[in-house]
């Protein structure tokens, strides 16, 4: 309810909107709403992809042209009106996220604080593929941890997980890295044996049962990527993308170099230094367009760490389970590096230009699960909740003031 009320205020009164690729996202949403699910090339310039506006003029939006139409389903309810579409995006994604939090057992607090981070919240207040991607990712993670703690009716939980996995496959392809955490849905030794299979079949049958949700995610992802294979969604042409793919097949170790450089490369040592810095630090400043100071951001970032440490202590994951969470995040990062090298201005073996902090919101709840806690946790959970609530309030009050003050006030 808080997110809905706060989000509507931002939609209606925000004087400093933070809408990454907002215009192109809206153009793609309108195209989907018109019934055209795939972008088309510009007859006058085949390197441009987009669609025709109401007047019949071509409008390019390469960087959103390859997105699945599913990512804009809330905008279909907006009847072509931007504010209505923004509200429907907020309502749809807030409800999906709220449901994910409700079912995710011990992970609920960590999912909640992840969704409340300004980068995630601000994605919910305008028509964007990021909003649906984030919400569906949280839903998928929620079902995995619901399955982990479920001792009754596991077949229904597995069905819900399968549906969430299918939707996950309809979002951004990098989200498929979350499939790696499916084994975390297997009940730990402290939970009674699964009711989904006879006890004699043991863990092997439960692992086998998780293959179906994985398949339901991979199939729609592959089908859509096949459908948009002739669309260049970035700065590189299809021929250049093909050349990089062949180079990658011949020298796969160059991708490892790209990943390492993207982890440590100074942000101001980039061919697009100004944009690169703003994009990279989004998680620390809220957004690229409206960068919030640490006085506003530090409280909620501290709250995220506190909740993460407490959640990690409560889950008490074993080393293989922590490695599973780490592997999911590592593959997520690697896929984003690969995507940036393929479509943007960077070179294979060099820094992955175009990296953006908002891309990592779907895997944020997993980051704290493999961090060493060193035994740090709160003995008084009620006191911790009060501290976290106060930290969130400081950030959200500051963010509200920052976004509601007209941009021309100095």
């Amino acid at each position: 309810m808080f997110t809905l009320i706060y989000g509507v205020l931002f939609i209606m009164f925000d004087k400093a909107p933070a809408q990454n690729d907002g215009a192109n996202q809206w153009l793609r949403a309108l195209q989907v709403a018109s019934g055209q699910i795939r972008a088309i090339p510009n007859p006058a310039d085949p390197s441009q992809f987009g669609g025709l506006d109401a007047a019949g003029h071509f409008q390019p939006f390469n960087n959103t042209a390859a997105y699945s139409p599913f990512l804009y389903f809330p905008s279909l309810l907006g009847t072509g009106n931007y504010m209505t579409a923004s509200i429907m995006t907020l309502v749809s994604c807030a409800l999906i996220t709220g449901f994910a939090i409700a079912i995710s057992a011990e992970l609920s607090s960590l999912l909640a604080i992840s969704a409340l981070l300004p980068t995630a919240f601000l994605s919910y207040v305008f028509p964007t593929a990021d909003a649906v991607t984030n919400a569906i990712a949280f839903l998928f993670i929620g079902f995995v941890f619901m399955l982990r703690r479920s001792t009754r009716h596991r077949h229904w939980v597995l069905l819900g997980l399968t549906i969430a996995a299918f939707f996950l496959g309809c979002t951004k392809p990098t989200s498929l890295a979350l499939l790696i955490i499916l084994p975390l849905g297997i009940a730990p030794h402290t939970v009674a044996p699964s009711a989904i299979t006879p006890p004699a079949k043991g863990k092997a049958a439960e692992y086998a049962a998780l293959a179906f949700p994985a398949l339901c995610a991979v199939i729609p992802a592959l089908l859509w990527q096949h459908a948009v294979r002739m669309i260049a969604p970035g700065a590189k042409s299809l021929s250049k993308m093909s050349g990089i793919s062949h180079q990658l097949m011949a020298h796969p170790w160059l991708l490892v170099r790209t990943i390492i450089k993207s982890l440590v490369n100074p942000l101001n040592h980039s061919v697009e230094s100004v944009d690169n810095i703003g994009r990279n630090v989004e998680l620390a400043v809220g957004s690229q367009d409206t960068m919030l100071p640490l006085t506003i951001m530090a409280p909620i970032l501290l709250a995220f760490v506190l909740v993460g440490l407490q959640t990690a202590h409560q889950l008490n994951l074993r080393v293989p389970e922590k490695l599973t969470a780490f592997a999911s995040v590592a593959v997520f990062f690697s896929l984003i590096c690969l995507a940036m090298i393929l479509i943007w201005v960077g070179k294979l073996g060099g820094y992955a230009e175009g990296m953006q902090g908002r891309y990592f919101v779907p895997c944020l709840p997993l980051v704290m699960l493999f961090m060493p806690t060193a035994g740090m946790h709160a003995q008084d959970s009620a006191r911790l909740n009060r501290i976290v609530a106060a930290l969130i309030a400081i950030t959200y009050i500051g963010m509200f003031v920052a976004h509601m003050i007209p941009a021309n006030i100095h």
Side-chain angles (χ1 to χ4, degrees), residues 244-263:
I244 292 177
S245 298
H246 286 100
Q247 186 183 5
L248 179 61
M249 295 295 291
H251 307 287
W253 59 273
L254 288 176
L255 180 60
V256 178
R257 283 182 54 184
T258 288
I259 293 169
I260 294 174
K261 286 188 177 182
S262 301
L263 283 169

Side-chain angles (χ1 to χ4, degrees), residues 29-391:
L30 289 175
Q31 183 180 54
V32 172
S34 71
Q36 187 171 5
I37 65 171
R38 280 192 296 183
I40 59 175
N42 184 352
D45 183 359
S47 67
Q48 293 183 341
F49 294 86
L52 302 177
D53 61 19
H57 301 133
F58 185 85
Q59 297 291 337
F61 44 88
N62 281 43
N63 57 342
T64 60
Y67 285 161
S68 164
F70 171 75
L71 292 169
Y72 298 98
F73 80 84
S75 298
L76 298 179
L77 307 174
T79 62
N81 180 275
Y82 189 81
M83 181 172 289
T84 305
S86 298
I87 292 174
M88 295 313 301
T89 299
L90 171 67
V91 171
S92 301
C93 294
L95 289 177
I96 293 171
T97 302
F99 180 72
I101 293 168
I103 66 174
S104 57
E106 293 101 324
L107 204 72
S108 59
S109 296
L110 186 53
L111 268 184
I113 192 68
S114 298
L116 285 173
L117 288 174
T119 307
F121 167 78
L122 291 171
S123 75
Y124 283 15
V125 296
F126 72 105
T128 171
D130 291 335
V132 176
T133 296
N134 296 340
I136 295 298
F138 293 155
L139 180 66
F140 175 79
I141 295 172
F143 266 114
V144 169
F145 281 84
M146 182 184 186
L147 183 67
R148 179 181 179 85
R149 287 301 176 188
S150 177
T151 57
R152 299 176 58 189
H153 309 299
R154 281 176 65 86
H155 55 289
W156 290 112
V157 180
L158 186 62
L159 176 61
L161 175 61
T162 301
I163 295 172
F166 174 80
F167 289 146
L168 187 73
C170 297
T171 62
K172 294 183 179 181
T174 50
S175 296
L176 291 181
L178 297 178
L179 294 176
I180 295 174
I181 69 166
L182 277 172
L184 296 183
I186 302 298
H189 64 276
T190 54
V191 178
S194 168
I196 192 172
T197 56
K201 293 187 177 181
K203 298 290 184 184
E206 295 214 40
Y207 281 112
L210 295 176
F212 188 65
L215 194 63
C216 286
V218 171
I219 289 176
L222 291 178
L223 289 175
W224 180 250
Q225 290 307 304
H226 178 76
V228 297
R229 67 191 183 281
M230 300 307 295
I231 293 177
K236 291 188 174 80
S237 65
L238 288 172
S239 61
K240 289 183 178 179
M241 290 173 60
S242 177
I244 292 177
S245 298
H246 286 100
Q247 186 183 5
L248 179 61
M249 295 295 291
H251 307 287
W253 59 273
L254 288 176
L255 180 60
V256 178
R257 283 182 54 184
T258 288
I259 293 169
I260 294 174
K261 286 188 177 182
S262 301
L263 283 169
V264 301
N265 191 71
L267 298 182
N268 57 336
H269 294 179
S270 165
V271 299
E272 45 177 11
S273 57
V274 176
D275 286 339
N276 185 63
I277 293 173
R279 290 167 177 166
N280 266 266
V281 299
E282 279 176 323
L283 288 175
V285 297
S287 72
Q288 174 188 352
D289 298 324
T290 306
M291 298 185 186
L292 301 174
L294 276 177
T295 49
I296 294 176
M297 290 297 301
I300 199 165
L301 295 175
L302 175 59
F304 176 79
V305 173
L306 292 174
V307 171
L309 290 173
Q310 187 73 357
T311 300
H313 172 75
Q314 292 173 345
L315 284 171
N316 192 27
L317 297 180
R318 295 164 292 177
V319 172
E321 293 172 320
K322 290 185 177 183
L323 291 175
T324 298
F326 173 79
S328 180
V329 175
V331 171
F332 201 103
F333 183 86
S334 301
L335 289 177
I336 291 176
C337 287
L338 175 60
M340 291 298 99
I341 288 296
L342 282 173
I343 69 173
W344 208 240
V345 296
K347 297 180 179 179
L348 185 61
Y351 173 70
E353 302 283 350
M355 296 283 281
Q356 302 193 34
R358 62 190 171 97
Y359 295 159
F360 299 96
V361 170
C363 68
L364 281 181
L366 305 180
V367 172
M368 293 303 298
L369 299 186
F370 57 83
M371 293 293 179
T373 62
M376 292 185 291
H377 67 280
Q379 298 286 349
D380 187 346
S381 296
R383 184 179 182 184
L384 175 65
N385 291 339
R386 290 194 295 270
I387 293 173
V388 168
L391 292 171

